[in-house]
Amino acid sequence: MADEEFVRRNGGPDWIPYWEAGRRRELRFQRCARCGTWRHPPGPMCARCLSFESEWALASGRARLLSWVVCHPPLLPAWKERAPYTVVLVECEEGVRTMGNLLGAGPEVLEMDMPMLVDFAASPDGDLVPQWRPAS
């Protein structure tokens, strides 16, 4: 796949390290190299100290569940075969919020604030991406 396609499909050049880490089964978020503030989605500048210096730091992979939705048809063709599926919103220990599909359980087991763990599964294009499963 051409780099241009990868950048266009996944949110632009700021996202490339996030997706590359997922392929290695790592959850990494951008962190300010000056003040240490974690941020997601990634961007060029820290909202806290306005520094342009950042690093891609390894996250713990632990989070708590904030919300979820069960997606039913009609859907984009790439997702039609997977429906219905559950998308969760979690807050990671590092303070950032992110979303992903629910793995290893159905929506009936979900409870607000329940502990979640990162896992990795293939997206419709075959790339490994961060997903979430109940910790217990």
Side-chain angles (χ1 to χ4, degrees):
M1 170 181 338
D3 286 340
E4 300 81 32
E5 290 178 44
F6 184 77
V7 169
R8 185 186 76 250
R9 193 171 41 99
N10 291 297
D14 290 335
W15 283 86
I16 291 174
Y18 179 79
W19 301 120
E20 288 176 344
R23 285 191 206 113
R24 296 187 306 271
R25 295 185 173 273
E26 296 176 350
L27 181 63
R28 290 186 179 267
F29 295 115
Q30 205 174 38
R31 183 169 62 188
C32 179
R34 180 192 276 168
C35 74
T37 299
W38 293 84
R39 63 181 182 253
H40 189 73
M45 184 176 71
C46 176
R48 184 167 178 231
C49 75
L50 307 182
S51 172
F52 286 95
E53 300 171 41
S54 67
E55 61 183 348
W56 282 88
L58 188 62
S60 70
R62 292 183 297 272
R64 69 182 180 95
L65 182 64
L66 298 179
S67 187
W68 65 92
V69 64
V70 179
C71 300
H72 296 275
L75 299 164
L76 295 172
W79 293 94
K80 186 177 179 182
E81 303 272 330
R82 297 175 181 225
Y85 60 93
T86 305
V87 177
V88 295
L89 173 66
V90 300
E91 184 173 73
C92 298
E93 284 184 343
E94 295 77 15
V96 299
R97 293 180 176 189
T98 188
M99 296 185 325
N101 287 344
L102 175 66
L103 299 177
E108 66 279 354
V109 305
L110 298 178
E111 297 178 11
M112 294 300 293
D113 295 319
M114 74 185 294
M116 304 291 283
L117 293 173
V118 73
D119 200 347
F120 297 86
S123 65
D125 65 7
D127 227 355
L128 282 179
V129 295
Q131 307 290 314
W132 296 92
R133 68 174 59 248
S136 55

